[in-house]
Amino acid sequence: MKAIQLNQFTDNFNELELVEKQMPTPGKGQVLVKMFYSAINPSDLNYIRGDYQVALKRLIWNRANQDHTPSFQPNGHHPHPELPYIPGGEGVGMVVGSGGGILANRLQGKRVSVSAGPPMGTWQEYTIVDAKKAVVVPQTIDDQQAAMLLINPLSSYGMLTDVLNVKKGRWLLQSGGASALAKMVIRMSAQLGVKTINIVRRDAQIAGLREIGADVVISLQQCSDDSVVAHIQQQVHQATAGKGVDYALDCIGGQILEAMLPCLTIQGQMLLYGTLAKADAQVFSRDLMMPCAKIHGFFAGNWLAQKSLFEKIRLMRGMKKMALSGCFNTPVESVYALEDISEALTAATTSGKSGKVLLKFC
Ligand SMILES: NC(=O)c1ccc[n+]([C@@H]2O[C@H](COP(=O)([O-])OP(=O)(O)OC[C@H]3O[C@@H](n4cnc5c(N)ncnc54)[C@H](OP(=O)(O)O)[C@@H]3O)[C@@H](O)[C@H]2O)c1
């Protein structure tokens, strides 16, 4: 079977290799999935460039032995993958084999959305996933939407309703406002009665976001580097009548994070969940102290791992309601064959795209 293999961390997408591999065999509690589509997400690029590896090595629990593969959790669970690695965090396919166990056996022959990851991803014709990470897809959801059903919907829903626990009538400021995830936040916020202020890079994105329910859109297109912070803060001041926002979601970092932090009102909360600008930010302690504000980090895998079975069921029920009302619908920008992985990755990282780039397996 064909697979996309990462042999070394790289920024050069031509270095990913299309290889022939043995079909993997599922162990107990796992299923073998024949893949149909897989999404290309920013998190896949973090694996490819080695960003997660660098980030994990900084953490105290990975300091003891710098020669060991760093781990996503302090107890050594979920180690970062060793190279060579087959990337791909999610996708959709058909369960064609089971390694045994009640759940895995019950999934046989079912179309499932999967979230995968170390030790192997979804960018291969057949993959293995833990049966608990395979969700049966209702008939009403087509294959392409099913390929994007887990990572962004779960993260956006979890951040809004669980971590921030947003309340009706409050203001939420978010960066990366035109991203697939941010659009989910806009739609869900509109349903929950939360008003959103959305920061984007281009004027052309304003109308589309207003259409799906954004209250305010701040475009930085006309700003010079020196005027970004003042522009964001002046617009937030105006929109909230000088009060500031109750919640802030940042996936960019750097100057944007620095601009957003002083926009928090009393007991405001900021949640950091992405680093798209790849730039450090300076945090002034008193921006948090004076408003008694909080700053949190979010990483979906580790957040979900803290949840009990009961809490997970409750989250799934809430997400289902949002899914049925169209909150998670994501346009597809383009679809590529595995052979064209380099072009697919270039398309996925091209600025101004209007939807997700998918890999198709045939
Ligand atoms: N922490 C977690 O567990 C978790 C889970 C899911 C997603 N995420 C994060 O959520 C973010 C959005 O994911 P997605 O799948 O929705 O992404 P996406 O659809 O690919 O959209 C990315 C957006 O970010 C903007 N962007 C990229 N680089 C930027 C920069 N340097 N400055 C300003 N804007 C920039 C792009 O703007 P243009 O439109 O102008 O190109 C685009 O609108 C990513 O950072 C991802 O890693 C985190």
Side-chain angles (χ1 to χ4, degrees), residues 279-300:
D280 292 335
Q282 204 171 1
V283 170
F284 289 93
S285 310
R286 289 201 178 274
D287 287 348
L288 289 168
M289 290 163 62
M290 296 320 190
C292 300
K294 282 187 199 144
I295 191 162
H296 319 234
F298 180 87
F299 190 68

Side-chain angles (χ1 to χ4, degrees), residues 46 189 223 232:
N46 292 336
S189 296
C223 292
I232 291 173

